[in-house]
Amino acid sequence: MGADFRAVRNGMLAALHLIFPPRCIGCGGAVTDDFGLCAACWRETDFISGLVCDKCGVPLPGKNEGRAELCDECLTIARPWDRGRAAILYRDTGRRLVLALKHGDRLDLVPPLGAWLARAAEPILLPDMLVAPVPLHRWRLLKRRYNQAALLSGALARAAGLDHCPDLLA
Ligand SMILES: [Zn+2]
Ligand SMILES: [Zn+2]
């Protein structure tokens, strides 16, 4: 990206902020950056970090010592995938954001959630990986109007610099 383009883009962003000041993606309150959370929503968002189950990404007690650990559920239920990660716990702000994306047409949430996913998935991403979403059933697609999983996987792929194949799976 050239310096000229950046200057133009920054100028446009500044102009845009005069009309539309940046809003918290969780509650709509004023924030300083686009696609950010206010302090209160940030506190109520459980970002997953530390030791996690290598298959489903739930947080586990203990320290991350670089060994793959599995949660009780993944030890007893055969998962049809090898490794997995999750960015946030499905409660409080995290739950609100997911529901807003799924049912509230909040497409503005796609870039920040995609970036969070890319960060959470970073330990298991490999160069030249192909990113693909879980397909949505046709009637659900009609109801939800978008395949939110495909929007998220596209944002994840962009954030991680990987190729995206939205219709890989049927
Ligand atoms: Zn907020
Ligand atoms: Zn698990």
Side-chain angles (χ1 to χ4, degrees):
M1 200 188 310
D4 285 353
F5 176 79
R6 254 197 311 268
V8 169
R9 195 198 56 179
N10 289 344
M12 276 166 54
L13 264 179
L16 202 64
H17 285 166
L18 287 177
I19 314 168
F20 303 109
R23 295 279 169 202
C24 167
I25 60 171
C27 70
V31 284
T32 47
D33 289 314
D34 282 308
F35 309 126
L37 286 168
C38 71
C41 288
W42 182 267
R43 272 196 306 276
E44 281 174 19
T45 308
D46 292 297
F47 288 97
I48 297 173
S49 63
L51 183 63
V52 298
C53 170
D54 199 47
K55 288 230 171 186
C56 73
V58 298
L60 293 176
K63 269 219 330 257
N64 186 354
E65 281 161 2
R67 254 195 334 262
E69 307 270 358
L70 297 181
C71 71
D72 289 348
E73 223 171 287
C74 289
L75 281 171
T76 45
I77 303 168
R79 304 291 197 191
W81 65 84
D82 285 335
R83 308 183 76 190
R85 288 296 183 274
I88 46 180
L89 290 184
Y90 188 63
R91 65 179 184 212
D92 299 327
T93 304
R95 181 167 183 274
R96 248 191 0 256
L97 293 175
V98 170
L99 290 177
L101 175 65
K102 272 166 96 172
H103 306 295
D105 272 349
R106 289 282 311 279
L107 299 189
D108 61 303
L109 297 176
V110 170
L113 296 191
W116 296 351
L117 270 182
R119 203 175 47 202
E122 212 258 350
I124 62 171
L125 295 180
L126 300 169
D128 300 328
M129 243 183 190
L130 197 56
V131 180
V134 172
L136 197 62
H137 197 277
R138 211 175 325 136
W139 67 260
R140 279 232 175 119
L141 183 61
L142 276 175
K143 213 161 109 193
R144 287 202 204 151
R145 306 195 13 230
Y146 312 93
N147 180 357
Q148 284 81 0
L151 297 175
L152 277 182
S153 61
L156 184 156
R158 268 192 304 282
L162 295 169
D163 284 331
H164 184 224
C165 190
D167 48 9
L168 180 71
L169 306 170

